[in-house]
Amino acid sequence: MDETFAPFPPAYREIYDRLVAGLGPIHEDAVRVGVFLKSRHKFAEIRPKARSLSLELVLPRRVEHPLIARVLPMAGGRTVHFFKLTRVEDVDEPILDFMAEACDG
């Protein structure tokens, strides 16, 4: 996990820790490009990038949030939401609620 975040600002790891805190049992698959989060299925990808931490979150519905960069519909009515996060403060209550919903979904 540390290798994934090492070349990037320390805030990225803090953002990640805040995103996953309180989710319950999840599987974290850390690879060079990021971390894949799974409960019963993959529900999120977190990728450090040069200017932001990208959160790709699969939800059973489309949601609105000012930090969503783009949205892609998927089969079965699910939607992938792409968030751009740069500060720990970006991880607000709605995003934490979306994380919990995606994990439970």
Side-chain angles (χ1 to χ4, degrees):
M1 185 78 64
D2 290 334
E3 294 173 6
T4 302
F5 292 98
F8 298 96
Y12 288 10
R13 179 58 193 254
E14 293 173 30
I15 293 168
Y16 173 80
D17 290 342
R18 181 158 164 81
L19 287 169
V20 299
L23 283 182
I26 59 171
H27 175 73
E28 300 166 290
D29 188 11
V31 295
R32 279 201 112 132
V33 298
V35 181
F36 304 102
L37 301 179
K38 302 172 186 173
S39 54
R40 290 175 286 225
H41 55 52
K42 184 179 86 173
F43 67 90
E45 292 181 22
I46 299 170
R47 295 178 183 246
K49 298 191 175 186
R51 296 187 180 169
S52 66
L53 188 72
S54 174
L55 168 62
E56 300 173 19
L57 191 60
V58 179
L59 289 164
R61 62 191 175 92
R62 185 178 178 142
V63 298
E64 298 293 327
H65 191 279
L67 296 178
I68 293 176
R70 67 184 173 130
V71 176
L72 293 174
M74 294 177 61
R78 296 181 304 159
T79 305
V80 181
H81 301 78
F82 296 84
F83 294 82
K84 287 187 177 183
L85 309 170
T86 57
R87 306 171 304 133
V88 175
E89 296 80 18
D90 289 342
V91 184
D92 58 13
E93 288 303 315
I95 289 178
L96 293 174
D97 290 344
F98 299 151
M99 287 290 291
E101 180 180 351
C103 182
D104 293 341

